[in-house]
Amino acid sequence: IALIQLENNKEHVLADHLLYVQGHSIEDLISFIDQLCQSSSITLAEISVIGILNGPGSYTAMRLSITVAKTLAQIYGCQIIGLSTLEHMLWPLRWKSGTYFSIFPARGTQYNVALFGIDSGTIKRITDDFIWDVTEILAYIHKQTGHISFVGQLPQEIMKIISNSD
Protein backbone atom coordinates (compact mmCIF):
# COMPACT_ATOMS: atom_id res chain seq x y z
CA ILE A 1 0.00 0.00 0.00
CA ALA A 2 1.42 3.40 -0.90
CA LEU A 3 0.14 6.92 -0.62
CA ILE A 4 1.65 9.07 -3.34
CA GLN A 5 1.14 12.76 -3.91
CA LEU A 6 1.60 13.98 -7.48
CA GLU A 7 2.71 17.56 -7.86
CA ASN A 8 4.02 19.10 -11.09
CA ASN A 9 4.31 15.60 -12.64
CA LYS A 10 6.59 14.51 -9.79
CA GLU A 11 5.67 11.92 -7.24
CA HIS A 12 6.22 12.23 -3.54
CA VAL A 13 5.69 9.12 -1.42
CA LEU A 14 3.77 10.12 1.68
CA ALA A 15 3.78 6.61 3.12
CA ASP A 16 4.16 3.06 1.98
CA HIS A 17 3.87 -0.31 3.59
CA LEU A 18 4.37 -3.79 2.19
CA LEU A 19 1.39 -5.77 3.32
CA TYR A 20 1.04 -9.54 3.38
CA VAL A 21 -2.58 -10.35 4.15
CA GLN A 22 -2.35 -14.10 3.71
CA GLY A 23 -4.47 -15.60 6.43
CA HIS A 24 -6.16 -12.27 7.21
CA SER A 25 -9.63 -11.27 6.20
CA ILE A 26 -10.12 -8.76 3.39
CA GLU A 27 -11.88 -6.47 5.85
CA ASP A 28 -8.44 -5.77 7.33
CA LEU A 29 -7.37 -4.14 4.05
CA ILE A 30 -9.60 -1.11 4.60
CA SER A 31 -8.23 -0.73 8.14
CA PHE A 32 -4.63 -0.92 6.86
CA ILE A 33 -5.38 1.75 4.24
CA ASP A 34 -7.05 3.97 6.83
CA GLN A 35 -4.11 3.56 9.26
CA LEU A 36 -1.66 4.50 6.51
CA CYS A 37 -3.72 7.60 5.73
CA GLN A 38 -3.80 8.57 9.41
CA SER A 39 -0.02 8.16 9.67
CA SER A 40 0.29 10.66 6.79
CA SER A 41 -2.29 13.06 8.23
CA ILE A 42 -4.68 12.66 5.32
CA THR A 43 -8.16 11.20 5.09
CA LEU A 44 -9.59 8.65 2.70
CA ALA A 45 -11.69 11.49 1.25
CA GLU A 46 -8.48 13.21 0.06
CA ILE A 47 -7.47 10.27 -2.17
CA SER A 48 -8.05 11.02 -5.85
CA VAL A 49 -6.66 7.88 -7.53
CA ILE A 50 -6.48 4.28 -6.37
CA GLY A 51 -3.99 1.97 -8.06
CA ILE A 52 -4.75 -1.72 -7.87
CA LEU A 53 -2.59 -4.68 -8.85
CA ASN A 54 -4.39 -6.51 -11.63
CA GLY A 55 -2.16 -9.53 -11.96
CA PRO A 56 -0.66 -11.86 -12.34
CA GLY A 57 -1.39 -13.18 -8.89
CA SER A 58 -3.99 -14.89 -6.77
CA TYR A 59 -7.36 -14.60 -8.47
CA THR A 60 -9.24 -14.52 -5.17
CA ALA A 61 -6.95 -11.90 -3.61
CA MET A 62 -7.16 -9.67 -6.68
CA ARG A 63 -10.93 -10.05 -6.94
CA LEU A 64 -11.42 -9.10 -3.30
CA SER A 65 -8.89 -6.24 -3.44
CA ILE A 66 -10.56 -4.85 -6.55
CA THR A 67 -13.90 -5.01 -4.72
CA VAL A 68 -12.41 -2.97 -1.86
CA ALA A 69 -10.86 -0.48 -4.31
CA LYS A 70 -14.13 -0.10 -6.25
CA THR A 71 -16.06 0.41 -3.02
CA LEU A 72 -13.64 3.13 -1.85
CA ALA A 73 -13.71 4.72 -5.31
CA GLN A 74 -17.52 4.87 -5.28
CA ILE A 75 -17.69 6.24 -1.76
CA TYR A 76 -14.99 8.90 -2.26
CA GLY A 77 -15.29 9.58 -6.01
CA CYS A 78 -11.78 8.33 -6.89
CA GLN A 79 -10.39 7.07 -10.16
CA ILE A 80 -9.01 3.50 -10.30
CA ILE A 81 -5.99 2.48 -12.38
CA GLY A 82 -4.71 -1.06 -12.92
CA LEU A 83 -1.06 -1.90 -12.30
CA SER A 84 0.89 -4.98 -13.39
CA THR A 85 2.08 -6.92 -10.35
CA LEU A 86 5.41 -7.82 -11.95
CA GLU A 87 6.04 -4.24 -13.07
CA HIS A 88 4.97 -2.78 -9.74
CA MET A 89 7.58 -4.90 -7.96
CA LEU A 90 10.22 -2.76 -9.73
CA TRP A 91 8.82 0.61 -8.66
CA PRO A 92 11.19 1.03 -5.68
CA LEU A 93 14.12 0.42 -8.07
CA ARG A 94 13.00 2.85 -10.79
CA TRP A 95 16.09 5.05 -10.34
CA LYS A 96 18.53 2.12 -10.69
CA SER A 97 19.07 1.61 -14.41
CA GLY A 98 19.50 -1.94 -15.65
CA THR A 99 17.76 -5.08 -16.81
CA TYR A 100 15.46 -6.78 -14.34
CA PHE A 101 13.88 -10.23 -14.18
CA SER A 102 10.71 -9.88 -12.10
CA ILE A 103 9.49 -13.16 -10.58
CA PHE A 104 7.08 -14.58 -8.02
CA PRO A 105 5.42 -17.95 -7.43
CA ALA A 106 2.40 -19.01 -9.48
CA ARG A 107 0.88 -22.45 -8.98
CA GLY A 108 2.77 -25.58 -8.03
CA THR A 109 6.29 -25.43 -9.41
CA GLN A 110 5.59 -22.57 -11.80
CA TYR A 111 6.57 -18.89 -11.52
CA ASN A 112 5.14 -15.68 -12.98
CA VAL A 113 7.97 -13.84 -14.73
CA ALA A 114 8.64 -10.85 -16.98
CA LEU A 115 11.71 -8.96 -18.14
CA PHE A 116 12.01 -5.17 -17.79
CA GLY A 117 14.53 -2.46 -18.46
CA ILE A 118 14.92 0.64 -16.33
CA ASP A 119 16.49 3.83 -17.62
CA SER A 120 16.35 7.30 -16.07
CA GLY A 121 13.45 6.44 -13.80
CA THR A 122 11.36 4.87 -16.57
CA ILE A 123 10.39 1.22 -16.41
CA LYS A 124 10.13 -0.35 -19.86
CA ARG A 125 8.58 -3.74 -20.43
CA ILE A 126 10.78 -6.06 -22.53
CA THR A 127 8.51 -9.15 -22.42
CA ASP A 128 4.90 -9.91 -21.67
CA ASP A 129 4.09 -11.73 -18.42
CA PHE A 130 4.57 -15.47 -18.75
CA ILE A 131 4.83 -18.60 -16.61
CA TRP A 132 7.99 -20.73 -16.36
CA ASP A 133 9.11 -23.63 -14.24
CA VAL A 134 12.56 -23.87 -12.64
CA THR A 135 14.06 -25.68 -15.65
CA GLU A 136 12.96 -22.90 -18.03
CA ILE A 137 14.25 -20.18 -15.69
CA LEU A 138 17.63 -21.92 -15.39
CA ALA A 139 17.87 -22.35 -19.18
CA TYR A 140 17.21 -18.64 -19.64
CA ILE A 141 19.78 -17.63 -16.99
CA HIS A 142 22.46 -19.85 -18.54
CA LYS A 143 21.97 -18.18 -21.96
CA GLN A 144 22.55 -14.66 -20.62
CA THR A 145 25.86 -12.90 -21.14
CA GLY A 146 24.99 -9.52 -19.65
CA HIS A 147 24.00 -8.49 -16.14
CA ILE A 148 20.42 -9.12 -15.01
CA SER A 149 19.09 -8.31 -11.56
CA PHE A 150 16.34 -10.44 -10.05
CA VAL A 151 13.40 -8.94 -8.19
CA GLY A 152 10.94 -11.09 -6.32
CA GLN A 153 11.06 -14.63 -4.99
CA LEU A 154 13.47 -16.91 -6.81
CA PRO A 155 13.07 -20.68 -6.39
CA GLN A 156 15.42 -22.19 -3.80
CA GLU A 157 17.08 -24.36 -6.47
CA ILE A 158 18.13 -21.24 -8.37
CA MET A 159 19.21 -19.37 -5.22
CA LYS A 160 21.61 -22.22 -4.42
CA ILE A 161 23.12 -22.12 -7.92
CA ILE A 162 23.48 -18.33 -7.90
CA SER A 163 25.05 -18.26 -4.43
CA ASN A 164 27.59 -20.92 -5.48
CA SER A 165 28.59 -19.20 -8.74
CA ASP A 166 31.22 -16.51 -9.23
Side-chain angles (χ1 to χ4, degrees), residues 13 17 21 23 54 72 91 100 111 120 152 160-161:
V13 178
H17 180 72
V21 293
N54 59 12
L72 290 173
W91 189 74
Y100 292 86
Y111 290 81
S120 303
K160 289 176 187 172
I161 291 169

PDB file of all heavy atoms in Angstrom, residues 13 17 21 23 54 72 91 100 111 120 152 160-161:
ATOM      1  N   VAL A  13       6.274  10.206  -2.217  1.00  0.00           N
ATOM      2  CA  VAL A  13       5.688   9.123  -1.424  1.00  0.00           C
ATOM      3  C   VAL A  13       5.422   9.649  -0.015  1.00  0.00           C
ATOM      4  O   VAL A  13       6.346  10.016   0.701  1.00  0.00           O
ATOM      5  CB  VAL A  13       6.617   7.892  -1.381  1.00  0.00           C
ATOM      6  CG1 VAL A  13       6.006   6.798  -0.511  1.00  0.00           C
ATOM      7  CG2 VAL A  13       6.894   7.375  -2.785  1.00  0.00           C
ATOM      8  N   HIS A  17       3.766   0.844   2.703  1.00  0.00           N
ATOM      9  CA  HIS A  17       3.868  -0.305   3.594  1.00  0.00           C
ATOM     10  C   HIS A  17       3.617  -1.564   2.784  1.00  0.00           C
ATOM     11  O   HIS A  17       2.605  -1.673   2.088  1.00  0.00           O
ATOM     12  CB  HIS A  17       2.834  -0.191   4.717  1.00  0.00           C
ATOM     13  CG  HIS A  17       2.878  -1.326   5.679  1.00  0.00           C
ATOM     14  ND1 HIS A  17       3.893  -1.501   6.591  1.00  0.00           N
ATOM     15  CD2 HIS A  17       2.035  -2.358   5.861  1.00  0.00           C
ATOM     16  CE1 HIS A  17       3.666  -2.590   7.295  1.00  0.00           C
ATOM     17  NE2 HIS A  17       2.548  -3.128   6.866  1.00  0.00           N
ATOM     18  N   VAL A  21      -1.315 -10.093   3.463  1.00  0.00           N
ATOM     19  CA  VAL A  21      -2.578 -10.347   4.148  1.00  0.00           C
ATOM     20  C   VAL A  21      -2.970 -11.820   4.127  1.00  0.00           C
ATOM     21  O   VAL A  21      -4.077 -12.159   4.457  1.00  0.00           O
ATOM     22  CB  VAL A  21      -3.737  -9.488   3.573  1.00  0.00           C
ATOM     23  CG1 VAL A  21      -3.511  -8.035   3.870  1.00  0.00           C
ATOM     24  CG2 VAL A  21      -3.929  -9.737   2.101  1.00  0.00           C
ATOM     25  N   GLY A  23      -3.946 -15.140   5.152  1.00  0.00           N
ATOM     26  CA  GLY A  23      -4.472 -15.603   6.431  1.00  0.00           C
ATOM     27  C   GLY A  23      -5.312 -14.554   7.142  1.00  0.00           C
ATOM     28  O   GLY A  23      -5.937 -14.835   8.150  1.00  0.00           O
ATOM     29  N   ASN A  54      -3.424  -5.730 -10.865  1.00  0.00           N
ATOM     30  CA  ASN A  54      -4.395  -6.512 -11.629  1.00  0.00           C
ATOM     31  C   ASN A  54      -3.805  -7.811 -12.178  1.00  0.00           C
ATOM     32  O   ASN A  54      -4.337  -8.387 -13.097  1.00  0.00           O
ATOM     33  CB  ASN A  54      -5.015  -5.677 -12.744  1.00  0.00           C
ATOM     34  CG  ASN A  54      -3.996  -5.133 -13.716  1.00  0.00           C
ATOM     35  OD1 ASN A  54      -2.842  -5.535 -13.710  1.00  0.00           O
ATOM     36  ND2 ASN A  54      -4.424  -4.208 -14.543  1.00  0.00           N
ATOM     37  N   LEU A  72     -14.225   1.847  -2.267  1.00  0.00           N
ATOM     38  CA  LEU A  72     -13.637   3.127  -1.849  1.00  0.00           C
ATOM     39  C   LEU A  72     -13.786   4.178  -2.942  1.00  0.00           C
ATOM     40  O   LEU A  72     -14.084   5.348  -2.658  1.00  0.00           O
ATOM     41  CB  LEU A  72     -12.167   2.948  -1.480  1.00  0.00           C
ATOM     42  CG  LEU A  72     -11.881   2.163  -0.204  1.00  0.00           C
ATOM     43  CD1 LEU A  72     -10.382   1.906  -0.055  1.00  0.00           C
ATOM     44  CD2 LEU A  72     -12.433   2.891   1.018  1.00  0.00           C
ATOM     45  N   TRP A  91       9.006  -0.819  -8.930  1.00  0.00           N
ATOM     46  CA  TRP A  91       8.819   0.606  -8.657  1.00  0.00           C
ATOM     47  C   TRP A  91       9.855   1.171  -7.682  1.00  0.00           C
ATOM     48  O   TRP A  91      10.425   2.229  -7.940  1.00  0.00           O
ATOM     49  CB  TRP A  91       7.385   0.867  -8.180  1.00  0.00           C
ATOM     50  CG  TRP A  91       7.075   2.312  -8.093  1.00  0.00           C
ATOM     51  CD1 TRP A  91       6.842   3.168  -9.121  1.00  0.00           C
ATOM     52  CD2 TRP A  91       6.978   3.085  -6.902  1.00  0.00           C
ATOM     53  NE1 TRP A  91       6.600   4.431  -8.648  1.00  0.00           N
ATOM     54  CE2 TRP A  91       6.678   4.407  -7.276  1.00  0.00           C
ATOM     55  CE3 TRP A  91       7.110   2.790  -5.549  1.00  0.00           C
ATOM     56  CZ2 TRP A  91       6.508   5.424  -6.360  1.00  0.00           C
ATOM     57  CZ3 TRP A  91       6.942   3.806  -4.636  1.00  0.00           C
ATOM     58  CH2 TRP A  91       6.648   5.103  -5.049  1.00  0.00           C
ATOM     59  N   TYR A 100      16.021  -6.112 -15.506  1.00  0.00           N
ATOM     60  CA  TYR A 100      15.458  -6.783 -14.341  1.00  0.00           C
ATOM     61  C   TYR A 100      14.542  -7.933 -14.745  1.00  0.00           C
ATOM     62  O   TYR A 100      13.725  -7.799 -15.647  1.00  0.00           O
ATOM     63  CB  TYR A 100      14.661  -5.799 -13.476  1.00  0.00           C
ATOM     64  CG  TYR A 100      15.530  -4.774 -12.809  1.00  0.00           C
ATOM     65  CD1 TYR A 100      15.882  -3.602 -13.476  1.00  0.00           C
ATOM     66  CD2 TYR A 100      16.015  -4.988 -11.528  1.00  0.00           C
ATOM     67  CE1 TYR A 100      16.692  -2.655 -12.861  1.00  0.00           C
ATOM     68  CE2 TYR A 100      16.824  -4.049 -10.920  1.00  0.00           C
ATOM     69  CZ  TYR A 100      17.160  -2.890 -11.594  1.00  0.00           C
ATOM     70  OH  TYR A 100      17.953  -1.962 -10.985  1.00  0.00           O
ATOM     71  N   TYR A 111       6.320 -20.258 -11.981  1.00  0.00           N
ATOM     72  CA  TYR A 111       6.566 -18.893 -11.524  1.00  0.00           C
ATOM     73  C   TYR A 111       6.096 -17.902 -12.574  1.00  0.00           C
ATOM     74  O   TYR A 111       6.281 -18.114 -13.770  1.00  0.00           O
ATOM     75  CB  TYR A 111       8.063 -18.680 -11.251  1.00  0.00           C
ATOM     76  CG  TYR A 111       8.519 -19.447 -10.041  1.00  0.00           C
ATOM     77  CD1 TYR A 111       8.809 -20.804 -10.127  1.00  0.00           C
ATOM     78  CD2 TYR A 111       8.601 -18.825  -8.801  1.00  0.00           C
ATOM     79  CE1 TYR A 111       9.190 -21.518  -9.009  1.00  0.00           C
ATOM     80  CE2 TYR A 111       8.985 -19.542  -7.678  1.00  0.00           C
ATOM     81  CZ  TYR A 111       9.271 -20.882  -7.791  1.00  0.00           C
ATOM     82  OH  TYR A 111       9.638 -21.595  -6.678  1.00  0.00           O
ATOM     83  N   SER A 120      16.721   5.935 -16.484  1.00  0.00           N
ATOM     84  CA  SER A 120      16.354   7.300 -16.068  1.00  0.00           C
ATOM     85  C   SER A 120      14.983   7.371 -15.403  1.00  0.00           C
ATOM     86  O   SER A 120      14.187   8.258 -15.688  1.00  0.00           O
ATOM     87  CB  SER A 120      16.400   8.244 -17.266  1.00  0.00           C
ATOM     88  OG  SER A 120      17.673   8.232 -17.857  1.00  0.00           O
ATOM     89  N   GLY A 152      12.025 -10.198  -6.672  1.00  0.00           N
ATOM     90  CA  GLY A 152      10.944 -11.094  -6.324  1.00  0.00           C
ATOM     91  C   GLY A 152      11.444 -12.300  -5.566  1.00  0.00           C
ATOM     92  O   GLY A 152      12.455 -12.236  -4.871  1.00  0.00           O
ATOM     93  N   LYS A 160      20.420 -21.427  -4.742  1.00  0.00           N
ATOM     94  CA  LYS A 160      21.615 -22.219  -4.422  1.00  0.00           C
ATOM     95  C   LYS A 160      22.653 -22.128  -5.537  1.00  0.00           C
ATOM     96  O   LYS A 160      23.838 -21.966  -5.265  1.00  0.00           O
ATOM     97  CB  LYS A 160      21.227 -23.683  -4.201  1.00  0.00           C
ATOM     98  CG  LYS A 160      20.471 -23.924  -2.924  1.00  0.00           C
ATOM     99  CD  LYS A 160      20.043 -25.381  -2.808  1.00  0.00           C
ATOM    100  CE  LYS A 160      19.131 -25.569  -1.612  1.00  0.00           C
ATOM    101  NZ  LYS A 160      18.546 -26.911  -1.553  1.00  0.00           N
ATOM    102  N   ILE A 161      22.203 -22.198  -6.776  1.00  0.00           N
ATOM    103  CA  ILE A 161      23.120 -22.118  -7.920  1.00  0.00           C
ATOM    104  C   ILE A 161      23.765 -20.740  -8.002  1.00  0.00           C
ATOM    105  O   ILE A 161      24.971 -20.627  -8.189  1.00  0.00           O
ATOM    106  CB  ILE A 161      22.379 -22.452  -9.236  1.00  0.00           C
ATOM    107  CG1 ILE A 161      22.002 -23.933  -9.238  1.00  0.00           C
ATOM    108  CG2 ILE A 161      23.235 -22.094 -10.449  1.00  0.00           C
ATOM    109  CD1 ILE A 161      21.045 -24.319 -10.341  1.00  0.00           C
TER     110      ILE A 161
END
